[in-house]
Amino acid sequence: MKLNKLFHFIPFVIGLLLMTTVFTGCSDDDDELQQTAFGYVQFKIYKSASAATKGAETRGTDMLDKLATLADGSYVGLDSEGVAGEDEYPVLDGTLNVYANAYEDSIQALRGTFKRLELNVIGKYFIRFTDKIVAQRVFELWDVNGDGGLTRDEADLITSIPRYFLSGDKNENYKNITSLVGFESLSNCTEIGYGAFENTNLETAVFPPNLKQIYQRAFMGTKIKKVNLPDSCIFLASGGGSDYMPFYNCSELEEFTMKDFIIPPERHYTINKGFSDCPKLKKFRCNSFEYGYDSIATTFALPSFSNCVSLEECDFGELKGYVDSMSYGMFENTPIAASCVPVNIIKSASQSYNNCTKLRVVVFEGNLDVLGLRMFFGCNSVTVIFKSMTPPTTLEYGGLRS
């Protein structure tokens, strides 16, 4: 650090020292300090103050985060006459050796702003979880060495997010979470457990990059707005009773995309609520939807979207395997105006289009076997087109009544 700027920067640094950590000059550099025209100061940041002094403990990570706030240009230094300097940033000149784990974004902010400051991180990088409640819970479970952060080595040990991890039903405080930023660094995590984030104020859903499956109720009742699952995620669990699908009743959800939805053979899968009761959902899209064979299943139905009153697009892509049926109340109370039912679908479930007041035309591409109970109940005027020359073998009560 240039000495002509040092003295007016010292009060700021001292303030940080009192709040957070211990800076100590390196005595090894005394000769160099005396020989350099403008002076040279090397600082060390210690993981614990005990490395430099006795009777105090602190975290160098906090010090770095506070120092990184200088990168926003808000600090204004004073020259020797007490006049504000002209530089946008204070002049940091020299070497800073960080003997602690640190947040990478803080380091990059400092490097990008203070070009003459050499930062050497001897510790490891922490993953930053921006939500404090989420961070605290993560550290409780996975901060192996208790240093108040999660390194990438520690993150690599995480293979699944446990059942009720941050369930609002299990802990009132968990209801206040809003973001999962940081989960993108959990590269070995492949599962999100049952009810993991249910009934919270979660708005920003960030997913592990190699996620494979999400269990029942995991995001039910949250306020997430967009879900773009990684390509590796191929399964959303569902069951009977209250074991609803993971994204049921998300009041703010507007968009959902998933590459391939694959239900493995003999999974005994039951569609339970699907994406129903997501009133702001506009777009649902998959590249493909596939059912494996199940020896006890009688139908292989698609998820439902009942009460999705903003729905504009619903595209399952290519239907594969044993997919053969619509689900009960599949588009009930939605604003759709037209529906093209793929050739794979041979069973239309009860009340599939119940109360779709804007529906005007439905086209069945395949050879429909069952026309479900009160399929068009509550609709005003619908034209139904059967492309197959073979009429349905079963017409349930009120199947074409509108």
Side-chain angles (χ1 to χ4, degrees):
M1 181 183 295
K2 291 185 179 180
L3 293 182
N4 62 350
K5 292 284 185 177
L6 176 61
F7 71 92
H8 62 77
F9 183 61
I10 283 176
F12 175 81
V13 174
I14 290 176
L16 292 179
L17 295 182
L18 293 175
M19 289 186 289
T20 55
T21 191
V22 173
F23 275 121
T24 179
C26 291
S27 58
D28 294 341
D29 296 317
D30 287 346
D31 292 340
E32 185 176 0
L33 282 171
Q34 296 173 4
Q35 296 171 5
T36 306
F38 293 101
Y40 180 87
V41 178
Q42 183 185 44
F43 292 114
K44 288 185 179 180
I45 294 180
Y46 290 97
K47 179 178 178 181
S48 171
S50 59
T53 187
K54 295 182 179 180
E57 290 186 0
T58 186
R59 287 182 55 208
T61 304
D62 297 333
M63 180 67 243
L64 274 177
D65 281 348
K66 290 185 180 297
L67 191 59
T69 61
L70 293 175
D72 66 6
S74 60
Y75 174 80
V76 178
L78 302 178
D79 63 18
S80 58
E81 303 298 327
V83 179
E86 296 179 357
D87 290 339
E88 182 178 0
Y89 301 103
V91 178
L92 294 182
D93 194 346
T95 299
L96 188 63
N97 290 329
V98 184
Y99 289 85
N101 296 335
Y103 287 104
E104 188 172 7
D105 55 351
S106 293
I107 296 295
Q108 295 304 329
L110 286 167
R111 283 175 175 162
T113 301
F114 304 109
K115 306 297 184 182
R116 285 175 281 180
L117 178 65
E118 181 181 348
L119 276 170
N120 300 318
V121 180
I122 287 81
K124 297 180 179 180
Y125 285 131
F126 281 141
I127 297 168
R128 190 182 293 280
F129 296 89
T130 56
D131 188 295
K132 291 182 179 180
I133 299 174
V134 172
Q136 181 180 2
R137 181 69 170 134
V138 167
F139 300 157
E140 285 175 359
L141 293 186
W142 298 305
D143 179 14
V144 176
N145 58 10
D147 60 359
L150 195 76
T151 64
R152 295 188 183 278
D153 288 344
E154 290 171 324
D156 286 344
L157 299 176
I158 302 171
T159 58
S160 65
I161 305 302
R163 186 181 182 96
Y164 300 130
F165 175 62
L166 282 163
S167 167
D169 289 350
K170 301 300 180 181
N171 187 318
E172 282 291 322
N173 189 44
Y174 293 164
K175 291 183 177 181
N176 297 316
I177 67 171
T178 59
S179 174
L180 297 183
V181 169
F183 276 60
E184 70 278 3
S185 298
L186 307 183
S187 58
N188 289 332
C189 179
T190 59
E191 298 180 350
I192 295 179
Y194 185 105
F197 308 101
E198 63 180 352
N199 295 321
T200 64
N201 292 323
L202 180 65
E203 297 176 354
T204 304
V206 180
F207 301 96
N210 298 306
L211 181 66
K212 293 181 180 179
Q213 58 183 336
I214 304 175
Y215 283 91
Q216 298 98 316
R217 300 171 60 105
F219 294 92
M220 183 191 77
T222 62
K223 295 182 179 180
I224 53 177
K225 297 180 179 180
K226 288 188 178 181
V227 173
N228 303 115
L229 294 178
D231 291 351
S232 57
C233 187
I234 59 173
F235 183 69
L236 306 178
S238 181
S242 60
D243 289 351
Y244 306 126
M245 287 187 70
F247 298 96
Y248 165 63
N249 192 29
C250 293
S251 61
E252 302 296 322
L253 182 62
E254 298 177 0
E255 176 183 308
F256 181 95
T257 60
M258 181 178 184
K259 186 175 183 290
D260 301 304
F261 193 141
I262 302 174
I263 300 169
E266 301 297 347
R267 192 67 183 237
H268 310 324
Y269 195 75
T270 300
I271 292 291
N272 193 345
K273 296 295 186 179
F275 296 86
S276 297
D277 297 322
C278 297
K280 293 186 179 181
L281 182 63
K282 294 181 179 180
K283 183 175 80 171
F284 171 91
R285 182 179 294 174
C286 288
N287 284 6
S288 69
F289 190 100
E290 178 178 353
Y291 262 106
Y293 177 73
D294 192 319
S295 57
I296 67 172
T298 57
T299 60
F300 299 86
L302 296 170
S304 59
F305 297 84
S306 62
N307 302 317
C308 293
V309 296
S310 301
L311 190 64
E312 297 176 357
E313 177 184 352
C314 180
D315 186 357
F316 286 93
E318 182 182 0
L319 299 184
K320 299 180 179 181
Y322 289 84
V323 181
D324 67 356
S325 176
M326 300 175 71
S327 54
Y328 176 85
M330 186 168 178
F331 295 109
E332 183 178 20
N333 294 322
T334 63
I336 61 173
S339 177
C340 183
V341 182
V343 66
N344 312 59
I345 302 301
I346 61 172
K347 302 174 183 178
S348 65
S350 299
Q351 297 180 285
S352 296
Y353 297 100
N354 182 42
N355 203 34
C356 292
T357 57
K358 296 183 179 180
L359 185 64
R360 294 295 176 265
V361 60
V362 175
V363 179
F364 289 98
E365 296 280 354
N367 185 6
L368 198 65
D369 184 26
V370 178
L371 199 62
L373 176 73
R374 293 183 175 181
M375 187 171 169
F376 297 100
F377 188 77
C379 298
N380 295 323
S381 178
V382 182
T383 299
V384 180
I385 299 173
F386 299 95
K387 285 196 171 182
S388 172
M389 297 299 294
T390 304
T393 56
T394 301
L395 179 60
E396 295 183 348
Y397 176 79
L400 289 175
R401 180 182 178 184
S402 64

